[in-house]
Amino acid sequence: MIGELLGKGKTAEVFAWDTDLALKLFYRGHEDDARKEYENALCIQNLDIPVAKCYGKIEADHRMGILYERIDGSSSLELFLKEKNICGMAKQLAETHKTMLRCMGTGLPNYKDILQKNILRAQCIAEGEKQQILKILAELPSGDRLCHGDFHPDNLLYSNEAFWVIDFMNVACGHPVLDIARTVFLLKYVPAEGVEDTLRDALTTAYIKEMDMNVELLDRSLIVIAAARAGEMQHDEEECRVAMEYLQSNFLII
Ligand SMILES: Nc1ncnc2c1ncn2[C@@H]1O[C@H](COP(=O)(O)OP(=O)(O)O)[C@@H](O)[C@H]1O
Ligand SMILES: [Mg+2]
């Protein structure tokens, strides 16, 4: 049966369910998101990675829901804010991310296709610049790895001294640099409650060092990721402002 509210995001609320499950209950109107996340969750289920296992889908209160293994603990963001252990958190983020990125992403949506769709959707980017950014995207390596698509400390839960990945809505098949760039962008530029700029800068720098990715490739990917973010969040003024600010300082859009 449905229990206490464990957390919520833009598309769903998550409740305790029975003794050891969590129900991610999508808001009405987010049926496509629910279907997409369910398919993704099934696809990565049997890989050797620390993810909350999926136990099927149900309907409750005329809303679609996905049942997951419940991870009792805190998010790694909460842990980070409590301990402020920059090196430790960067190492943990990097280690978990690398574990995912070593897996093949066979059967998952193509990361570059998703980015292209979002870039085309971005109303705040002028047509000429959009075409230039799409050219950068086309020249990036495609890759065949399992990418999370939203790998940040709030989607990494900490329980019994282990870290567990949740939130599979944006899971995709692509090159690791795309997923690393997405994490860098989310860590450094997307506001997270209670995280000061100096702390987020330090964590981002330490994470980048741990991931040891080619800097030039990462910078090109960041332009693409920022542009796609502007399309993905086009109804969120602050998110668009942040993405455009990045593009203006790094890609010279007038
Ligand atoms: N399997 C789980 N066990 C325990 N809590 C969870 C679980 N999945 C999600 N949560 C809680 O619900 C919150 C939102 O879930 P998430 O899947 O990240 O949704 P969204 O896509 O809206 O970000 C998480 O930050 C976490 O606090
Ligand atoms: Mg989430």
Side-chain angles (χ1 to χ4, degrees):
M1 280 313 293
I2 208 155
E4 63 165 319
L5 181 70
L6 301 173
K8 60 178 166 179
K10 291 194 173 81
T11 55
E13 293 168 306
V14 179
F15 297 94
W17 181 268
D18 286 345
T19 47
D20 50 5
L21 297 184
L23 169 66
K24 182 165 180 176
L25 197 55
F26 289 77
Y27 299 121
R28 283 181 208 162
H30 286 273
E31 291 74 21
D32 285 349
D33 291 329
R35 273 187 280 272
K36 187 167 66 165
E37 176 161 331
Y38 182 64
E39 274 173 30
N40 290 344
L42 290 184
C43 203
I44 63 171
Q45 197 62 255
N46 298 317
L47 298 173
D48 191 16
I49 41 175
V51 293
K53 295 273 178 257
C54 175
Y55 285 91
K57 59 176 179 198
I58 61 166
E59 205 187 295
D61 190 25
H62 302 291
R63 292 159 63 180
M64 282 177 69
I66 306 176
L67 290 169
Y68 286 111
E69 165 188 10
R70 184 156 84 228
I71 313 293
D72 287 316
S74 61
S75 81
S76 58
L77 181 63
E78 286 164 333
L79 181 74
F80 178 58
L81 287 174
K82 198 166 84 189
E83 297 188 343
K84 306 228 160 74
N85 179 354
I86 293 161
C87 261
M89 183 50 65
K91 274 192 185 358
Q92 199 53 62
L93 274 176
E95 194 184 303
T96 313
H97 206 175
K98 282 180 188 169
T99 305
M100 288 197 85
L101 294 169
R102 272 193 288 268
C103 296
M104 300 299 285
T106 318
L108 291 166
N110 182 291
Y111 211 153
K112 282 172 87 170
D113 288 351
I114 296 172
L115 293 171
Q116 184 183 32
K117 223 179 274 172
N118 281 329
I119 293 167
L120 287 170
R121 195 184 279 167
Q123 284 167 358
C124 50
I125 304 176
E127 208 44 49
E129 277 84 27
K130 224 182 245 187
Q131 292 311 319
Q132 289 179 51
I133 295 170
L134 286 173
K135 190 165 175 286
I136 297 176
L137 171 64
E139 286 164 0
L140 285 172
S142 293
D144 55 9
R145 297 312 162 106
L146 167 62
C147 297
H148 183 273
D150 233 346
F151 193 87
H152 61 77
D154 227 13
N155 283 334
L156 197 60
L157 301 184
Y158 178 67
S159 172
N160 293 326
E161 296 180 18
F163 289 82
W164 300 90
V165 183
I166 58 163
D167 202 350
F168 311 120
M169 182 105 71
N170 295 312
V171 166
C173 177
H175 192 281
V177 73
L178 300 172
D179 217 32
I180 296 169
R182 168 89 173 176
T183 298
V184 168
F185 191 80
L186 295 173
L187 279 179
K188 189 159 174 163
Y189 300 104
V190 174
E193 220 172 293
V195 193
E196 307 142 31
D197 285 354
T198 47
L199 208 54
R200 71 162 62 219
D201 285 355
L203 181 61
T204 312
T205 305
Y207 165 80
I208 292 174
K209 194 162 163 235
E210 289 292 332
M211 295 309 282
D212 195 23
M213 181 51 71
N214 177 293
V215 176
E216 188 267 334
L217 191 58
L218 186 59
D219 284 346
R220 277 193 286 135
S221 303
L222 271 163
I223 289 168
V224 166
I225 291 291
R229 184 74 180 172
E232 178 193 353
M233 305 300 285
Q234 62 171 326
H235 301 299
D236 186 320
E237 224 174 275
E238 178 59 11
E239 287 263 11
C240 284
R241 191 193 59 73
V242 166
M244 290 310 288
E245 207 172 271
Y246 182 85
L247 290 174
Q248 273 149 8
S249 347
N250 294 280
F251 186 59
L252 300 176
I253 288 182
I254 303 138

